[in-house]
Amino acid sequence: MASRKKTQELLKGLYNAVVFYDEKAAAELSKVALEESIDAYTAITDGLAAGMKKVGELYAAQEYFVPELLLCSDALYAGLGVLRPHIKVKQAKVKAQIVIGVVEGDIHDIGKNLVKVMFDAAGWIVHDLGKDVKLEKFVEEQQRTNSEIVGLSTLMTTSMLAIPKVIKMIRSQSTNVGIMVGGAPLTRDIAKRYGADGYAENAGTAVQEGVRLVEMLKKRKAQK
Amino acid sequence: MELRQDKMTSQERIKALFNYQKPDRVPIGNLGIPIKTQGLTQRFPGFNVVSNYNDPRRAFYASLWTAKYYNWELVVHSFAHTILGGWDFGGEIQMPDKEYQDSLSIKSTPVKTEKDIRNLKMPNPKTAGGIPMAMEFSKLQGENNLPVWFFSRSPFCVASNICGSEQFCRWMIKKPDLCRRLLRMATDHIFNVLQYWIDTFSAENIFLEISSPNESNQLISPKQFTEFAFPYHIELQKKLRTMGIRRFFFHICGDQNLNLPYLAELSSLWVHPSILSFGHEVDLEVAGKYFPKDIIFGNIEPAVFQAGTAQQVYELCKVAIEKGKRLSGGFMLGPGCGLPPMSQVENVLAMTKAVDNLGWYE
């Protein structure tokens, strides 16, 4: 069992590995953490995920841009790959589930991938459908996983036309689901007009919006 | 169609603009064809989004007709991209033939690994990618006494397109030399193809457009811009001078507010006035301050043409015209990026109506 000081050092090391996008260090320190019997869940939440939260702040402050975010996410996943199999089942408190994907007709997925990282880091279960996703696939996956949230991404003005259509399709099958959208041509106003419950301007604000929607669903359920 | 008080022809209007004289009214420009345009599909049966990428003849005549219908000046007139990057260097492309697609995309990039870069060959400047079709379009422009358009992504964007934006972003930090190798090849390819255009049409007839979406600060930092994009812009501008290109159009795509000081520095190298097109993310007054000697083009948010109302487009145009009329280098009203092909007809017409009501110079 690692001493308190050693534990803090390792957690800080994991945090720094993500913030300073050191993929190798993230994997190695994760192994050391396990060797030192540091709880895998703690290593993720207080080390890797805390680092990713800081990365989100740096992105919002325009100190980090997409290249840094991509490398930070590589470091995050390098650590998660080592630590995740060692999480004790009862610890793995799932915050919520999200089905995420880029809508049909659009192959631009950098934004969606970054949003996925943020949800992963925040402890959500992410069902990533990828890019150029058939609209019915969103409906099927939400039904299959009973996910609280569906996240729809688009970069192109033409593929954004699929957004209102898929929102209607999802709602026709499930009333208790929050739908959030994001991507360059969308605005909060357009998102609302298209029938979405939420909108995230960038990856940095996506989790916050997801949490808001989960709270909204809970309230809605309580009122029934 | 003429507007109520038109006192100039489109050609006279553009000529005035390039001579720093006030035209009769704010000129209107376009970046793309709204496919839903009334009458377009009747006149050009089967014309669709894909036609813009694989049928230069129909795209040419459809764009002429559309420009006339909306009263656009034909100053911006291109066929897709002369140079895209991934396609030219051997990547697999996907035509926009599905319901929700509006642009050509790279299905498989020619470079996936470091090893692929070592094996990468320079493309044939006459036959690679969509170059033969762009040449056919340019020849039609020449035959119709229009400026011959040469439309390339910037070296940074072409290079990113060869290996994919995500990979390029990662390499910028982890393996910058690989990016520089791609940038070198991308820049040389642009010059090679441009030389082919010059040999065919001569430099003075060519209107050169560069677009730079991957350089936006929604993707990269100003530091990355100065390291990986800026030096190649400088090289490009210097070469354009020696090649004798006199007309330059720069689509500074997306949010490039943090890059503006560097682009302003770069502007000392290009011919004035050039036309600089901005996305809605850059305020027109800010653009005018950075580039007082150039014609500012823009910057109505494209998505509003498709998802908004005619009134919303009109209001945005009103603000743009008020600001644009005060710009020292001149102004053209137009969308901030490619006009969505599924734009509502009445929304596109709102741009013309706004100029008819508010765009006259005293």
Side-chain angles (χ1 to χ4, degrees):
Chain A
M1 187 74 183
S3 66
R4 190 185 160 91
K5 192 183 167 197
K6 179 77 179 168
T7 303
Q8 288 306 315
E9 271 175 19
L10 276 167
L11 292 176
K12 185 70 180 166
L14 288 167
Y15 172 96
N16 283 337
V18 171
V19 173
F20 299 108
Y21 38 89
D22 190 337
E23 200 177 337
K24 203 173 157 193
E28 279 172 7
L29 289 173
S30 295
K31 282 178 201 160
V32 175
L34 292 175
E35 284 161 13
E36 295 283 339
S37 300
I38 292 171
D39 177 60
Y41 186 73
T42 305
I44 291 173
T45 52
D46 296 354
L48 299 173
M52 207 60 208
K53 189 165 180 273
K54 177 66 181 174
V55 170
E57 289 166 15
L58 291 168
Y59 178 64
Q62 292 195 313
E63 286 182 45
Y64 272 14
F65 290 76
V66 170
E68 289 85 359
L69 251 66
L70 287 167
L71 294 176
C72 293
S73 70
D74 290 345
L76 173 82
Y77 283 120
L80 284 178
V82 174
L83 293 167
R84 257 187 186 156
H86 299 275
I87 298 175
K88 291 164 195 153
V89 177
K90 63 177 180 183
Q91 280 183 326
K93 281 183 278 178
V94 174
K95 288 185 180 164
Q97 296 189 76
I98 179 168
V99 172
I100 190 170
V102 181
V103 296
E104 192 175 345
D106 202 334
I107 57 152
H108 302 87
D109 62 352
I110 294 182
K112 183 272 296 173
N113 290 341
L114 294 174
V115 170
K116 180 195 168 191
V117 172
M118 293 302 184
F119 277 103
D120 257 334
W124 287 50
I125 290 184
V126 183
H127 305 283
D128 181 12
L129 298 177
K131 57 191 177 183
D132 192 13
V133 178
K134 292 267 179 216
L135 305 189
E136 53 270 29
K137 188 73 190 155
F138 285 101
V139 183
E140 288 164 16
E141 191 67 359
Q142 192 279 326
Q143 295 276 292
R144 188 185 72 76
T145 59
N146 199 24
S147 293
E148 291 92 334
I149 307 296
V150 176
L152 306 166
S153 169
T154 181
L155 183 80
M156 310 300 288
T157 45
T158 309
S159 52
M160 76 188 264
L161 291 171
I163 301 273
K165 194 171 171 185
V166 69
I167 289 175
K168 274 185 193 159
M169 288 164 68
I170 295 166
R171 296 227 189 276
S172 71
Q173 296 299 315
S174 178
T175 49
N176 203 32
V177 59
I179 302 173
M180 57 189 285
V181 299
L186 297 171
T187 61
R188 192 168 285 283
D189 179 49
I190 293 173
K192 200 175 168 189
R193 208 166 335 126
Y194 279 178
D197 302 299
Y199 164 76
E201 195 179 351
N202 56 51
T205 59
V207 175
Q208 200 183 339
E209 188 70 346
V211 170
R212 185 184 74 77
L213 295 192
V214 170
E215 292 303 317
M216 177 197 80
L217 292 175
K218 279 183 190 162
K219 272 185 200 165
R220 213 185 270 171
K221 207 172 174 184
Q223 283 166 358
K224 278 184 183 171
Chain B
M1 172 181 154
E2 281 191 359
L3 299 193
R4 282 179 299 173
Q5 305 166 56
D6 271 351
K7 292 187 186 78
M8 288 179 169
T9 64
S10 184
Q11 276 181 325
E12 288 167 344
R13 195 169 293 121
I14 294 304
K15 196 175 168 191
L17 203 61
F18 275 100
N19 286 324
Y20 292 119
Q21 292 163 350
K22 288 268 184 267
D24 55 345
R25 60 162 171 82
V26 169
I28 312 167
N30 76 309
L31 294 168
I33 304 175
I35 304 297
K36 285 163 97 180
T37 296
Q38 283 165 359
L40 178 73
T41 45
Q42 284 87 347
R43 279 172 186 263
F44 303 94
F47 187 83
N48 55 31
V49 180
V50 181
S51 310
N52 280 321
Y53 296 92
N54 70 1
D55 192 342
R57 181 162 285 272
R58 282 215 291 184
F60 176 79
Y61 288 107
S63 62
L64 285 190
W65 185 88
T66 313
K68 204 171 170 192
Y69 180 79
Y70 288 111
N71 222 334
W72 294 336
E73 327 303 335
L74 253 186
V75 70
V76 188
H77 191 215
S78 58
F79 174 71
H81 283 88
T82 314
I83 295 170
L84 197 60
W87 193 9
D88 303 44
F89 282 84
E92 197 186 338
I93 55 140
Q94 160 86 55
M95 281 286 169
D97 52 8
K98 292 184 187 165
E99 186 181 356
Y100 300 110
Q101 292 179 328
D102 72 351
S103 62
L104 191 142
S105 50
I106 303 294
K107 241 168 99 177
S108 173
T109 57
V111 167
K112 294 178 184 69
T113 64
E114 213 172 320
K115 194 180 157 201
D116 293 335
I117 297 185
R118 285 197 293 272
N119 298 329
L120 195 66
K121 302 264 186 305
M122 284 299 288
N124 184 317
K126 294 184 179 177
T127 59
I131 292 168
M133 289 190 286
M135 174 53 79
E136 192 183 337
F137 190 90
S138 287
K139 281 182 176 166
L140 286 166
Q141 289 176 315
E143 288 162 15
N144 285 273
N145 298 317
L146 291 165
V148 171
W149 210 263
F150 180 91
F151 184 18
S152 176
R153 293 279 200 215
S154 70
F156 182 91
C157 298
V158 172
S160 298
N161 201 250
I162 297 171
C163 64
S165 297
E166 261 196 59
Q167 183 68 285
F168 198 84
C169 282
R170 285 186 166 94
W171 282 346
M172 273 198 291
I173 295 174
K174 293 283 184 183
K175 296 183 174 180
D177 285 347
L178 298 183
C179 292
R180 289 195 186 97
R181 174 107 196 248
L182 289 175
L183 282 158
R184 182 71 266 138
M185 293 181 83
T187 310
D188 289 345
H189 178 51
I190 293 170
F191 293 149
N192 291 344
V193 184
L194 182 56
Q195 188 59 53
Y196 173 38
W197 251 249
I198 290 171
D199 292 344
T200 309
F201 304 103
S202 82
E204 66 271 20
N205 294 320
I206 293 172
F207 212 128
L208 184 131
E209 177 180 358
I210 294 287
S211 68
S212 59
N214 296 48
E215 294 170 18
S216 86
N217 304 125
Q218 286 136 323
L219 201 64
I220 65 168
S221 67
K223 184 174 175 292
Q224 286 152 351
F225 173 83
T226 53
E227 199 177 339
F228 294 96
F230 192 58
Y232 299 90
H233 276 302
I234 291 175
E235 185 182 340
L236 182 76
Q237 290 302 329
K238 285 182 176 170
K239 184 89 172 178
L240 294 185
R241 288 232 167 197
T242 59
M243 286 175 127
I245 299 292
R246 294 180 195 160
R247 288 283 180 243
F248 177 57
F249 183 106
F250 194 178
H251 177 49
I252 301 166
C253 189
D255 180 356
Q256 298 213 28
N257 281 293
L258 300 175
N259 299 338
L260 292 180
Y262 308 104
L263 291 168
E265 194 184 323
L266 181 73
S267 72
S268 65
L269 295 175
W270 65 56
V271 180
H272 301 292
S274 286
I275 304 182
L276 309 182
S277 142
F278 289 93
H280 65 275
E281 298 90 343
V282 176
D283 187 272
L284 289 174
E285 285 173 345
V286 172
K289 278 182 191 152
Y290 276 107
F291 306 99
K293 292 189 223 164
D294 293 304
I295 300 159
I296 306 297
F297 178 108
N299 64 348
I300 309 303
E301 187 174 350
V304 182
F305 288 98
Q306 183 177 268
T309 63
Q311 189 59 34
Q312 282 175 316
V313 174
Y314 188 89
E315 292 300 326
L316 290 173
C317 291
K318 185 178 166 186
V319 174
I321 290 167
E322 278 169 10
K323 288 181 179 180
K325 280 166 88 174
R326 294 196 294 265
L327 296 175
S328 57
F331 173 63
M332 277 188 83
L333 181 68
C337 194
L339 195 61
M342 296 304 148
S343 297
Q344 306 292 326
V345 174
E346 57 272 28
N347 291 5
V348 183
L349 273 173
M351 194 163 65
T352 312
K353 279 182 187 163
V355 168
D356 204 13
N357 290 339
L358 311 160
W360 302 98
Y361 288 100
E362 298 305 323

